[in-house]
Amino acid sequence: MARAKKIGVDYYSHDVGAQKKQTVKALRSRFGNDGYAFWFILLELLGEREGLYMDCSDETTWIYLCTEVMIDEDKVTDMLNFLGRLGAIDKDLWAVDKIIWCQNFTDRLAGVFEKRKLTKPEKPISKMVSATKTNISAPEMPISATEMRQSKVKESKVKNSKVKNSKVNTTLEVDTTPVDNSDDGSVDGLDFDNNLIPKQEAVVSVMPVAEEVDCFWDVFKTVYPRKRGISVPMAKDALRKFLEYGGDQADLIAAAVKYGRIVAESKTEEQFMKTPHVFAGGYFKTFVPKYRRNCPACHGEGFVEGPDGNMVECCCVDRYKEWKA
């Protein structure tokens, strides 16, 4: 009878003086001993999995990770973002696909797979990158709210004269051309100069077009936990106002995902969940990430260097605190 295929590894080497190495030293400096514990528990969890990576886009895997390290989700996200910046994990795979992959960890285990006469695990292929090579249907492949918004607006400008007399084509091509916002310090048309709530720049249309709102709703409704007893027109109107007042789609989507986790864990009945228009109208502020993940100033870390050289909180912190929709 053939022996069952071995999944993962039984051990990995832990060097004496590991606390002095760049990754661990940076983690301890930023997060204290939580950073030290998180890193080595993370390596243990990677080592026990087939392929030596974790796909945290899967809700069960994400909850498992946070439970095993015994750290709250926001802090785990901050730590993984930081590890991406350090190059300790693959920054792009984490940012785009929520996949944790450590090339150095895998390389150090190459000998184990040689003894098993097996090929060393290869870096996972980004689902988002592979999806851009072909036309994809929106329900089949989830894309970010910003990407969907950009592609939809681009399509509407090109086919504006044909839309009135034809059905809308639901097949989208994702525009992956990078946008350079480094000169004006803005991202997605939002300005942080006043250290207050982001405002739309003058070059951005104050009134979102219908296609933007429809596209935003298509993404939002897939992650929002309440599906019944809602008003779609009221929800779209709330999303339109959210965009009009300068809100960031990524923030609202992240808040909706977090709210969904909370109501699932507390087993809240659907009838007692907030309706989408109430959530988008201001209730979301309780669940929005503290730091703006794509902030051009702090890059999602929440701190920037002040005039005196000391680290101070970035202007993106609590950016919706005084914002009234």
Side-chain angles (χ1 to χ4, degrees):
M1 185 174 183
R3 179 180 296 180
K5 180 183 177 181
K6 184 76 173 180
I7 296 177
V9 295
D10 294 324
Y11 69 92
Y12 69 90
S13 61
H14 183 128
D15 299 335
V16 174
Q19 79 278 5
K20 298 178 183 177
K21 293 189 176 181
Q22 176 180 316
T23 297
V24 179
K25 191 172 183 179
L27 280 170
R28 291 181 70 196
S29 176
R30 177 65 64 90
F31 301 103
N33 284 332
D34 277 354
Y36 180 91
F38 175 77
W39 175 240
F40 288 108
I41 294 175
L42 176 62
L43 294 182
E44 291 177 11
L45 297 179
L46 291 174
E48 72 182 17
R49 304 185 80 82
E50 185 173 9
L52 304 182
Y53 70 89
M54 296 187 76
D55 185 355
C56 293
S57 65
D58 176 67
E59 186 76 5
T60 303
T61 303
W62 174 249
I63 293 174
Y64 172 69
L65 170 62
C66 296
T67 301
E68 286 296 303
V69 298
M70 300 180 70
I71 300 174
D72 68 79
E73 295 182 18
D74 287 340
K75 192 170 184 179
V76 171
T77 299
D78 290 342
M79 288 181 173
L80 290 170
N81 289 340
F82 190 58
L83 285 171
R85 292 181 64 195
L86 292 173
I89 64 173
D90 191 284
K91 183 178 181 180
D92 294 332
L93 272 178
W94 167 247
V96 177
D97 296 282
K98 299 307 174 191
I99 290 177
I100 304 173
W101 168 259
C102 179
Q103 186 65 55
N104 185 54
F105 178 66
T106 304
D107 291 343
R108 293 187 66 174
L109 294 172
V112 176
F113 293 94
E114 288 180 4
K115 290 181 180 179
R116 296 180 186 173
K117 297 181 179 180
L118 295 174
T119 303
K120 182 183 68 175
E122 298 292 335
K123 174 182 172 180
I125 298 175
S126 171
K127 291 176 287 188
M128 296 295 286
V129 171
S130 60
T132 62
K133 297 180 180 178
T134 58
N135 290 345
I136 56 175
S137 175
E140 296 175 354
M141 184 64 199
I143 64 176
S144 71
T146 301
E147 288 174 322
M148 185 175 284
R149 177 181 176 184
Q150 289 176 345
S151 60
K152 191 72 175 181
V153 172
K154 182 178 181 180
E155 182 182 6
S156 67
K157 290 179 179 179
V158 175
K159 300 182 179 180
N160 186 49
S161 60
K162 299 180 181 180
V163 170
K164 294 182 179 178
N165 299 317
S166 63
K167 295 182 179 179
V168 177
N169 185 356
T170 59
T171 300
L172 306 179
E173 283 193 17
V174 181
D175 184 1
T176 58
T177 303
V179 179
D180 184 7
N181 292 308
S182 58
D183 292 337
D184 56 9
S186 64
V187 173
D188 296 337
L190 304 186
D191 185 4
F192 293 86
D193 289 344
N194 294 328
N195 291 331
L196 293 173
I197 302 306
K199 300 183 298 182
Q200 287 184 315
E201 296 179 2
V203 296
V204 179
S205 176
V206 176
M207 182 66 69
V209 297
E211 287 85 353
E212 287 182 287
V213 177
D214 290 341
C215 200
F216 192 8
W217 168 246
D218 287 341
V219 178
F220 181 81
K221 69 181 181 181
T222 62
V223 299
Y224 197 70
R226 181 163 180 169
K227 309 296 183 183
R228 295 175 294 182
I230 65 176
S231 170
V232 174
M234 292 178 69
K236 288 186 177 181
D237 185 59
L239 295 182
R240 178 186 61 77
K241 292 179 179 178
F242 178 84
L243 294 176
E244 182 180 342
Y245 296 150
D248 182 4
Q249 292 188 34
D251 280 340
L252 192 62
I253 296 300
V257 171
K258 186 174 182 179
Y259 179 60
R261 290 174 182 158
I262 291 175
V263 297
E265 292 172 358
S266 62
K267 298 181 179 180
T268 302
E269 294 183 18
E270 190 171 18
Q271 60 180 323
F272 298 114
M273 298 178 191
K274 298 296 182 182
T275 54
H277 75 274
V278 171
F279 186 86
Y283 191 74
F284 73 92
K285 292 190 289 183
T286 305
F287 309 96
V288 76
K290 185 175 182 180
Y291 309 138
R292 181 179 170 84
R293 294 179 181 178
N294 57 352
C295 175
C298 70
H299 305 287
E301 297 302 321
F303 291 89
V304 294
E305 186 174 342
D308 57 357
N310 294 322
M311 300 302 288
V312 297
E313 279 196 322
C314 180
C315 56
C316 73
V317 176
D318 296 328
R319 56 204 170 281
Y320 293 101
K321 185 176 181 180
E322 299 178 9
W323 185 60
K324 294 182 180 180

